[in-house]
């Protein structure tokens, strides 16, 4: 049991995300589907934020470089913080000129205002905000391309890390 806990901690350390859920990486509940067809703005307890075509929350990693995925992320980290990939259309509330992609090898990662976009695997439904504020480096983004650094209200039940 101690070996499993150590392996889990080391896997999460690879991406600077400890997680806010005791079930991190657990498949006991179905994860929300990723719909990379578009990026749009949706109302949330944190204000208007970026979501994918199905309403799933998108996050930024504050230590990424402009249009560059700077994370030193192993397989467990990528599973917890999957990249948004593809060529989504600009949906409601989105400035199409801010939608882009990372440069370099592999599949291009979608960016908004130069920030690579990520999902959080523990978000189980459209509108979940369970990745907000993790390790003070993972945040949702507003339509202007800035990190929203507010805590999720505890009554929302979708995070509320209280940092």
């Amino acid at each position: 049991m101690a070996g499993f806990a150590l392996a889990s901690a080391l896997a999460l350390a690879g991406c600077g995300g400890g997680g806010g859920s005791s079930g991190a990486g657990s498949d006991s509940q179905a994860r929300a589907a990723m719909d990379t067809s578009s990026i749009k703005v949706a109302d949330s307890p944190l204000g208007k934020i970026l979501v994918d075509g199905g309403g799933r929350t998108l996050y930024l990693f504050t230590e990424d470089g402009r249009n560059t995925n700077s994370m030193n992320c192993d397989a467990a980290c990528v599973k917890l913080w999957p990249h948004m990939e593809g060529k989504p259309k600009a949906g409601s509330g989105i400035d199409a000129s801010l939608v882009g992609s990372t440069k370099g090898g592999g599949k291009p990662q979608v960016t908004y205002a130069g920030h690579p976009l990520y999902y959080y695997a523990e978000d189980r439904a459209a509108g979940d905000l369970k990745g907000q504020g993790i390790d003070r480096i993972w945040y949702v983004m507003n339509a202007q391309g800035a990190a929203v650094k507010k805590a999720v209200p505890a009554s929302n039940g979708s995070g509320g890390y209280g940092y």
Side-chain angles (χ1 to χ4, degrees), residues 51-138:
V51 297
D52 74 1
R56 187 164 173 186
T57 304
L58 296 168
Y59 297 90
L60 66 84
F61 177 62
T62 58
E63 297 181 14
D64 274 339
R66 184 163 181 78
N67 293 316
T68 304
N69 176 327
S70 303
M71 269 193 332
N72 181 14
C73 202
D74 62 18
C77 169
V78 170
K79 186 175 180 181
L80 190 60
W81 293 101
H83 305 159
M84 182 184 205
E85 296 174 344
K87 293 191 176 205
K89 294 183 173 106
S92 173
I94 293 296
D95 179 343
S97 71
L98 297 179
V99 179
S101 64
T102 58
K103 300 175 177 112
K107 292 183 181 179
Q109 183 176 359
V110 178
T111 62
Y112 190 77
H115 299 284
L117 298 177
Y118 302 86
Y119 292 98
Y120 182 55
E122 293 301 310
D123 284 348
R124 301 293 181 185
D128 277 357
L129 299 164
K130 294 176 182 174
Q132 176 66 0
I134 290 180
D135 292 339
R136 296 184 183 176
I137 54 176
W138 293 99

Side-chain angles (χ1 to χ4, degrees), residues 2-25:
F4 175 75
L6 178 60
S8 294
L10 291 173
L12 292 174
C15 60
S21 167
S22 61

